[in-house]
């Protein structure tokens, strides 16, 4: 049977939810306070889950130190203390909802992690709102 | 691939575990302190999970503000600061275990949430005891 | 310099806030949902803090196992899975607000704990409401 | 003896740390990533503590529902989903460090809360960084 | 539909990660600080999840008090305040990684819990590292 | 009025509670499972609190990045993944109770932090046991 290992990291960022093809009224109605043109922000908590076989040599599915470094280099360093809409390539054209951020993080990590591992990303936008990808 | 979004809400309630078809001795043996005829209570933490497609227009699976309002109107307002056994229709005849409360909440919400979304309910009775429905 | 040691325990109970010398309207206006005549309940988290000198023989201010047992015997066993208004002597005539519960717990423990230790009680009624006595 | 009661609320905001009388190099050296001109953000957790006498009539030091409403009207509604530097009067000229935000919140609440209550504000900028005012 | 119930328990233990068939250099390179020959330790948080049908008589999937006792007798009493490498039979020849500890706990509990229940074990080694078995 | 700022860090370590001037029976009776000669361990959470004036130039009491680095260099690097009894000078002769560890950490940090700042150390040995020095 396979095992899932999880590593938790975090980053703090500003963002604004906005659909440029909509009117200001429509944006305000759909996104409410999250549409503030001057941005607001969150402490994002990120959990990265890998599923695979336990190596009989190490007793590890994946070295958690390596996974932590991989997340820091590819995700935290990219997004921490950034304005997601203005400072990142990924969200120049893509609305930085928690859902879209999770998919972007998944796509970045999927390329860095060997295909033998199943990958899942959980992103907390607040203590009371979080998303999981894939479901 | 689909995404799961989760919203956390809470309510505080009193309850008593009791099977009226059993003797007092049997009830005391099975339910222990939870059988106290004068009730005890909990801070229930409720997580509601919806799985679906991300809308390309909003970047949302489901508007978390709407989901929060839906839970408050249909669950928190119904159960918060209530005696589940005495003050609610749902548990007049049904033992208010965490399992049964979760099923009741699921059934209420399932009618209010479009069938395109998979629904799951997680209910914490205490920090150390919780249930998930469906499994 | 002195050190403070803290032990965290918990109990689950039902209660109702009510002043019998007031009208029902006044009780409803002041205590709101907490005045429900059928009770509601909470998972109470209790922190007991003792301040004193470190014993050079043990390196302890107070044995945490003994403090845990003392709290369980005198507080948790007394209040856990109880209706505070109906099942306890302490709140037959005293409104079981978090403030009054904390004072009652302090008074019970103060008699059991040697006077060389300063005592403080912190009581969480919910994750977002708590009281400390003495201030 | 007096009792302290605490209510926890929260708000999410963007900010930038910057001293306009310094060079860009000095700002970057002192404030590091927090000096990002495009802002970053946090989930701020706010605890408001009041110390006073327990009313023998209510068993309350202060009605937690009223305290919650007071914080929401005067603090959360003012700062939630805002850019502290751009959207608020308070931080137009004042660097929005956690320390300064806590002092501003204290000053706003101090005017709204009767002088018989001692007031203290605790502000978590992240799970690992928080400030208390007054000390 | 089935329901999952979860009980959380904990134990504190020392351990060392080491592969005796490797050189000291290889062990140091792979396991880093976790290879310290004098051991280090953790507060392990253990979640045990059972999935099954709700009994119409009790409203329980499984009595949480019985599950708690079962975990304490078979897991906490065995591993709490122990050196996993030196004091336990299970890890005399098996590297006590979080993955291997979770599999050992699963195998012990699987024998004690009726086959009608699906079983899953989640083990937190730290707040930021945890494993699930089976995946 | 002064402000207190707090930074939270952590380290994982093994230890054994033992008084070498006592008999084995006495040690077993006083320290219980914590006297295990093969050691056990904990995830220690460390909070360091500094109280001082807010600098009008920075809006800081103390740069939290510098405080974090100071704690890591002087405390975490010294104790993380160590056996406190065997691997550290500080606890060769001193019983590594939470109380004594907190005093040792305070004394190390007190020399590194300017005397204008009041210093306080809080150390969690488990989620339910913690100490504060000075009281």
């Amino acid at each position: 049977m396979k095992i899932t290992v999880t590593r938790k990291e975090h980053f703090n960022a500003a963002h604004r939810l906005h659909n440029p093809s909509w009117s200001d009224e429509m944006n305000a109605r759909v996104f409410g306070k999250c549409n503030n043109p001057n941005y607001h922000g969150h402490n994002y908590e990120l959990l990265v889950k890998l599923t695979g076989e336990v190596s009989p040599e190490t007793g590890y599915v994946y070295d958690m130190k390596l996974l932590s470094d991989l997340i820091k280099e590819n995700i935290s360093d990219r997004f921490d203390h950034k304005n997601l809409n203005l400072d990142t390539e990924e969200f120049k054209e893509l609305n930085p909802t928690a859902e879209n951020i999770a998919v972007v993080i998944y796509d970045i990590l999927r390329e860095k992690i060997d295909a033998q591992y199943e990958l899942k990303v959980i992103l907390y936008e607040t203590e009371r709102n979080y998303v999981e990808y894939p479901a």
Side-chain angles (χ1 to χ4, degrees), chain A residues 27-59:
Chain A
N27 270 295
R29 197 171 63 244
V30 173
F31 295 120
K33 292 185 295 184
C34 300
N35 186 238
N36 178 3
N38 286 329
Y39 313 98
H40 64 286
H42 295 293
N43 303 331
Y44 291 94
E45 292 284 344
L46 171 65
L47 290 89
V48 176
K49 302 172 83 87
L50 300 188
T51 300
E53 307 283 350
V54 179
S55 155
E57 289 216 314
T58 59

Side-chain angles (χ1 to χ4, degrees), chain A residues 9-135:
Chain A
E9 299 290 344
H10 58 94
F11 57 93
N12 309 322
H15 76 154
R16 178 202 189 188
L17 301 187
H18 187 72
N19 182 334
S21 68
W22 289 349
S23 68
D24 286 357
E25 290 70 21
M26 177 87 171
N27 270 295
R29 197 171 63 244
V30 173
F31 295 120
K33 292 185 295 184
C34 300
N35 186 238
N36 178 3
N38 286 329
Y39 313 98
H40 64 286
H42 295 293
N43 303 331
Y44 291 94
E45 292 284 344
L46 171 65
L47 290 89
V48 176
K49 302 172 83 87
L50 300 188
T51 300
E53 307 283 350
V54 179
S55 155
E57 289 216 314
T58 59
Y60 283 166
V61 167
Y62 200 97
D63 185 320
M64 286 292 96
K65 178 69 170 62
L66 294 184
L67 182 56
S68 172
D69 291 347
L70 190 80
I71 301 169
K72 283 176 184 153
E73 282 161 28
N74 290 282
I75 307 301
S76 305
D77 288 355
R78 190 186 304 236
F79 296 140
D80 189 35
H81 283 70
K82 295 289 171 61
N83 183 309
L84 297 177
N85 306 67
L86 299 181
D87 294 330
T88 75
E89 287 308 309
E90 290 79 6
F91 301 103
K92 284 250 157 66
E93 309 290 326
L94 182 67
N95 203 10
T97 59
E99 289 90 331
N100 282 339
I101 302 171
V103 174
V104 161
I105 290 172
Y106 176 90
D107 289 344
I108 294 169
L109 292 178
R110 186 64 282 180
E111 288 196 6
K112 304 287 181 182
I113 289 168
D114 193 288
Q116 71 179 285
Y117 300 104
E118 289 173 52
L119 172 65
K120 185 172 186 168
V121 162
I122 302 179
L123 184 71
Y124 281 76
E125 192 171 81
T126 71
E127 195 186 15
R128 297 195 167 269
N129 284 346
Y130 67 91
V131 304
E132 297 167 69
Y133 181 75

